[in-house]
Amino acid sequence: LRIIVKILDPIQGIVLKEEVVEGQGIESIFNMVDELTRQIKSDLALSFEKGEQLPKIADITTNSLEAWQSYVTATERAEQFMTNEAIPYFEEAISYDSTFVSAYLDLTQAYLKTGENEKAYQLVQKLSRMKNKATPQENYRINLFEAQFNNDAKKYVSSIKEWLQEYPKDRDAQLTLAQLYDNWNNTDLAIAHYRKAIEIDPKYKAAYNRLAYVYANSGNFSKAISTIKKYLDLAPEEANPY
């Protein structure tokens, strides 16, 4: 396999740099992308923060291309709120890679949405034994699931706060806290954190969806509709915003 990346000057249209990586077999694709990342970062003169190490794709996702492909398909379905259609692909992903933490986490959430609580509980038990494989953000999500099943509200709240303190620009952490305030009927704080999630990622469809409901439930229908219209602009071919 060979991957060629060209860095172009967008105004003059000239090639500033070309990088090439090669590998044997499809299983080498992630290592090839890691190598390209290092090369391009050097070309663009981007520097790491002090002590920061470049994470490898396989360390934070999976080293199975088949598992990754299934996971991407599942995520696309889940983001369109097609949970039942997403579940088989999440299950397929973990059948290819039994240590794929992200797939387990998202499958757990999908099971909870469809009322399959026992299946979700079994996955959380397994995730608790996989924390050494998980990223820091994934470990926070595991802690939240553990707290949820143990009815430990104190741990749930503290885990979110620690997550946000460590990663204040993590859109999922902001969304999770917003949902908590939403459940507590604290409209102002829910709105503030949904808006913060959108500020971090202006294309975060789930945040627009939830924010619109908060506005609607508080009687602010004009803002609810304008928020849904922004969601619709991002996903004109999806059913949910309609």
Side-chain angles (χ1 to χ4, degrees), residues 5 11 13 37 44 46-47 52 55 60 75 79 97 107 110 154 158 162 187 196 198 204 208 220 226 230 233 235 239:
V5 173
I11 297 175
T37 302
L44 298 177
L46 300 174
S47 61
E52 182 184 357
I60 59 174
T75 301
E79 287 180 349
D97 182 354
L107 180 56
K154 185 176 180 180
S158 65
E162 288 173 16
T187 302
K196 182 65 176 178
I198 291 170
Y204 197 6
Y208 287 104
N220 194 336
S226 65
K230 291 177 183 176
D233 288 340

Coordinates of all heavy atoms in Angstrom, one line a residue, residues 5 11 13 37 44 46-47 52 55 60 75 79 97 107 110 154 158 162 187 196 198 204 208 220 226 230 233 235 239:
V5 N 0.4 12.2 0.3 CA -0.2 13.4 0.7 C 0.5 14.6 0.2 O 1.7 14.7 0.3 CB -0.3 13.5 2.3 CG1 -0.8 14.9 2.7 CG2 -1.2 12.4 2.8
I11 N -3.7 29.6 -2.2 CA -3.8 30.8 -3.0 C -3.2 30.5 -4.4 O -3.8 30.7 -5.4 CB -3.3 32.0 -2.3 CG1 -4.0 32.3 -1.0 CG2 -3.3 33.2 -3.2 CD1 -3.5 33.4 -0.2
G13 N -1.9 27.6 -5.4 CA -2.2 26.3 -6.0 C -1.0 25.4 -6.2 O -1.0 24.4 -6.9
T37 N 1.1 11.4 10.0 CA 0.8 12.5 10.9 C 2.1 13.1 11.4 O 2.2 14.3 11.5 CB 0.1 11.9 12.1 OG1 -1.1 11.3 11.7 CG2 -0.3 13.0 13.1
L44 N 4.5 21.2 8.7 CA 3.8 22.4 9.0 C 4.3 23.2 10.3 O 3.8 24.2 10.7 CB 2.3 22.1 9.3 CG 1.5 21.5 8.2 CD1 0.1 21.1 8.6 CD2 1.5 22.4 7.0
L46 N 4.4 22.4 13.4 CA 3.6 22.4 14.5 C 4.3 21.7 15.7 O 5.0 20.7 15.5 CB 2.3 21.5 14.3 CG 1.4 22.0 13.1 CD1 0.3 21.1 12.8 CD2 0.9 23.4 13.4
S47 N 4.3 22.4 16.8 CA 5.0 21.9 18.0 C 4.1 21.3 19.0 O 2.9 21.7 19.2 CB 5.8 23.0 18.6 OG 5.0 24.0 19.1
E52 N 4.1 16.5 25.7 CA 3.0 15.8 25.0 C 3.6 14.8 24.1 O 4.6 15.1 23.3 CB 2.2 16.9 24.3 CG 1.0 16.3 23.5 CD 0.3 17.3 22.7 OE1 0.7 18.5 22.7 OE2 -0.6 16.9 22.0
P55 N -0.3 10.5 20.2 CA -0.9 9.2 20.4 C -1.0 8.4 19.1 O -1.1 9.0 18.0 CB -2.3 9.5 20.9 CG -2.6 10.9 20.4 CD -1.2 11.6 20.3
I60 N -5.7 4.3 20.7 CA -6.9 5.0 21.2 C -8.2 4.5 20.5 O -9.2 4.9 20.8 CB -6.8 6.5 20.9 CG1 -6.6 6.8 19.5 CG2 -5.7 7.1 21.8 CD1 -6.6 8.3 19.2
T75 N -21.6 4.4 14.1 CA -21.6 5.7 14.6 C -22.5 6.6 13.7 O -23.2 7.5 14.2 CB -20.2 6.3 14.7 OG1 -19.4 5.5 15.6 CG2 -20.2 7.7 15.2
E79 N -25.7 8.6 15.2 CA -25.8 10.1 15.1 C -27.0 10.5 14.4 O -27.5 11.7 14.6 CB -24.5 10.6 14.4 CG -23.3 10.6 15.2 CD -22.1 11.1 14.5 OE1 -22.2 11.4 13.2 OE2 -21.0 11.3 15.1
D97 N -12.9 -7.0 17.2 CA -11.9 -6.6 18.2 C -12.5 -6.6 19.6 O -13.3 -5.7 19.9 CB -11.3 -5.3 17.9 CG -10.2 -4.8 18.8 OD1 -10.0 -5.5 19.8 OD2 -9.6 -3.8 18.6
L107 N -22.0 1.0 22.3 CA -23.0 -0.1 22.3 C -23.8 -0.1 23.7 O -25.0 -0.3 23.7 CB -22.3 -1.4 22.1 CG -23.2 -2.7 22.1 CD1 -24.4 -2.5 21.0 CD2 -22.4 -3.9 21.8
A110 N -26.3 2.5 23.4 CA -27.4 2.1 22.5 C -28.3 1.1 23.2 O -29.6 1.2 23.0 CB -26.8 1.5 21.2
K154 N -23.4 10.8 43.6 CA -22.2 11.6 44.0 C -21.0 11.3 43.1 O -20.3 12.2 42.6 CB -21.8 11.3 45.4 CG -20.6 12.1 46.0 CD -20.4 11.8 47.4 CE -19.2 12.7 48.0 NZ -19.0 12.4 49.4
S158 N -19.3 13.9 40.4 CA -17.8 14.1 40.5 C -17.0 13.7 39.3 O -16.1 14.3 38.9 CB -17.3 13.4 41.8 OG -17.4 12.0 41.6
E162 N -14.7 16.2 37.1 CA -13.3 15.8 36.9 C -13.0 15.8 35.4 O -11.9 16.3 34.9 CB -13.0 14.5 37.5 CG -12.9 14.5 39.0 CD -12.7 13.1 39.6 OE1 -12.4 12.2 38.8 OE2 -13.0 12.9 40.8
T187 N -32.9 24.7 33.7 CA -32.9 25.1 32.3 C -31.7 26.0 31.9 O -31.0 25.8 30.9 CB -34.2 25.8 32.0 OG1 -35.3 24.9 32.3 CG2 -34.2 26.2 30.5
K196 N -22.2 25.7 25.1 CA -20.7 25.5 25.1 C -20.3 24.3 24.3 O -19.3 24.4 23.6 CB -20.3 25.2 26.6 CG -18.8 25.1 26.8 CD -18.1 26.4 26.5 CE -16.6 26.3 26.8 NZ -15.9 27.6 26.5
I198 N -21.7 23.3 21.6 CA -21.8 23.8 20.2 C -20.7 24.8 19.8 O -20.2 24.8 18.7 CB -23.2 24.5 19.9 CG1 -24.3 23.4 20.0 CG2 -23.2 25.2 18.6 CD1 -25.7 23.9 20.0
Y204 N -22.0 19.9 15.9 CA -22.4 18.9 16.9 C -23.9 18.7 16.9 O -24.6 19.4 17.6 CB -21.9 19.2 18.3 CG -21.8 18.1 19.3 CD1 -22.1 16.8 18.9 CD2 -21.5 18.4 20.6 CE1 -22.1 15.8 19.8 CE2 -21.4 17.3 21.5 CZ -21.7 16.1 21.1 OH -21.7 15.1 22.1
Y208 N -27.4 20.4 19.2 CA -28.5 21.2 18.6 C -29.9 20.6 18.9 O -30.9 21.2 19.3 CB -28.4 21.4 17.1 CG -27.3 22.4 16.7 CD1 -26.1 21.9 16.2 CD2 -27.5 23.7 16.8 CE1 -25.1 22.8 15.8 CE2 -26.5 24.6 16.4 CZ -25.3 24.1 15.9 OH -24.3 25.0 15.5
N220 N -39.8 28.7 25.0 CA -39.2 29.6 24.1 C -39.2 29.0 22.7 O -38.1 28.5 22.2 CB -37.7 29.9 24.5 CG -37.1 31.1 23.8 OD1 -37.5 31.4 22.7 ND2 -36.2 31.7 24.5
S226 N -35.4 28.0 15.7 CA -34.2 28.5 15.1 C -33.0 27.5 15.3 O -32.2 27.3 14.4 CB -33.8 29.9 15.6 OG -33.5 29.8 17.0
K230 N -30.9 25.2 12.4 CA -29.4 25.1 12.3 C -29.1 23.6 12.3 O -28.2 23.2 11.5 CB -28.8 25.7 13.5 CG -28.9 27.2 13.6 CD -28.2 27.8 14.8 CE -28.4 29.3 14.9 NZ -27.9 29.9 16.1
D233 N -29.8 22.5 8.8 CA -28.8 22.9 7.9 C -27.6 21.9 7.8 O -26.9 21.7 6.8 CB -28.3 24.3 8.2 CG -29.3 25.4 7.9 OD1 -30.2 25.1 7.1 OD2 -29.2 26.5 8.5
A235 N -27.9 18.7 8.7 CA -28.3 17.3 8.3 C -29.6 17.3 7.5 O -30.6 16.8 7.9 CB -28.5 16.5 9.6
A239 N -33.7 12.3 8.9 CA -35.1 12.4 9.3 C -35.3 13.2 10.6 O -36.3 14.0 10.7 CB -35.7 11.1 9.4

